Amino acid sequence: MTDRDLDDSFVSGPHLVNQVHPGLVDGLTDLWGRVGAAGGAVGFTPETPLAEVRTAAERVVEAVSARREQLLTLGRAGVLVGAVVLRPDSGPLVAHRGLVLDLMVDPDLQRQGWGRVLLDAVVAQATAHGLRRLFLSARDGTGLDDFYRAAGWTECGRAPDAVLLPDGTYRDELWFTRRI
Ligand SMILES: CC(C)(COP(=O)(O)OP(=O)(O)OC[C@H]1O[C@@H](n2cnc3c(N)ncnc32)[C@H](O)[C@@H]1OP(=O)(O)O)[C@@H](O)C(=O)NCCC(=O)NCCS
């Protein structure tokens, strides 16, 4: 193995994006596209046109720039390979809570613990931000409920038929919460 091989396999992060890099929209679009193409449950299907994914990535980057959302990333050899978004709520009655969104790990790196690393990091970031409670949702039938339970999250609700898949079948959306 050469030094170059070692460099290419090294994953860094999670990094909190403080300043938006000019390549961030491209990197997030590519990652989101790869995860969606592999069947990941992050709002898209393998058939979703990349332009639609890019619009979503632009929305995230705009929200991060405007400090409405926070983005944590993983990188490998200059490529974005993991991401998760924290959206703190605002308003006098709900400023203690936040939503965790768009947790994704590059298909090549899944099942190696990086999802858990990102999830724990976003909880730590929410704690540092002063939040007291987090929520997230996951599509039923993906097996992700075990992942969230193992990480200390509790199921707190089920939205029936909240997701309509391209084959015309519905999936419930499971809601999880965590006190911090
Ligand atoms: C969900 C995701 C972020 C988890 O990250 P990861 O790095 O693969 O997960 P980890 O290695 O930290 O944890 C692995 C454990 O989580 C569970 N798990 C993770 N992904 C799973 C999946 N798709 N189906 C079933 N269990 C899963 C398993 O218990 C697994 O343990 P095992 O490999 O021993 O069976 C990643 O698989 C991913 O990006 N998936 C596609 C996008 C997605 O569905 N995001 C969630 C939106 S709610």
Side-chain angles (χ1 to χ4, degrees):
M1 186 180 278
T2 65
D3 286 350
R4 170 104 185 122
D5 292 332
L6 281 173
D7 286 345
D8 284 355
S9 64
F10 182 76
V11 176
S12 71
H15 306 286
L16 175 66
V17 174
N18 277 317
Q19 203 146 18
V20 168
H21 181 273
L24 186 58
V25 169
D26 286 345
L28 192 55
T29 303
D30 289 348
L31 170 64
W32 215 331
R34 289 195 300 279
V35 171
V42 273
F44 300 113
T45 71
E47 292 75 34
T48 305
L50 209 56
E52 216 173 298
V53 179
R54 188 176 180 85
T55 301
E58 285 170 347
R59 192 209 56 74
V60 170
V61 171
E62 195 274 321
V64 170
S65 298
R67 307 274 181 223
R68 290 193 309 277
E69 296 181 0
Q70 297 170 22
L71 175 65
L72 294 166
T73 60
L74 298 174
R76 183 175 62 176
V79 176
L80 198 66
V81 290
V84 63
V85 171
L86 173 66
R87 183 189 295 162
D89 241 310
S90 59
L93 302 180
V94 294
H96 66 291
R97 74 184 192 196
L99 199 55
V100 172
L101 297 153
D102 306 330
L103 174 65
M104 60 187 119
V105 171
D106 191 295
D108 279 354
L109 283 171
Q110 289 177 12
R111 301 292 181 106
Q112 296 175 36
W114 291 110
R116 177 64 185 268
V117 167
L118 277 171
L119 190 59
D120 289 348
V122 80
V123 170
Q125 179 57 28
T127 307
H129 192 78
L131 300 184
R132 305 303 303 273
R133 183 163 285 277
L134 291 175
F135 295 92
L136 63 77
S137 69
R139 193 188 302 171
D140 194 15
T142 54
L144 290 172
D145 42 339
D146 288 342
F147 170 72
Y148 290 119
R149 273 192 205 95
W153 292 69
T154 307
E155 190 178 326
C156 63
R158 173 182 289 265
D161 293 350
V163 178
L164 174 57
L165 296 177
D167 66 1
T169 61
Y170 292 91
R171 296 287 183 278
D172 294 351
E173 198 169 63
L174 301 179
W175 280 88
F176 288 85
T177 189
R178 191 183 156 134
R179 189 146 61 100
I180 54 175

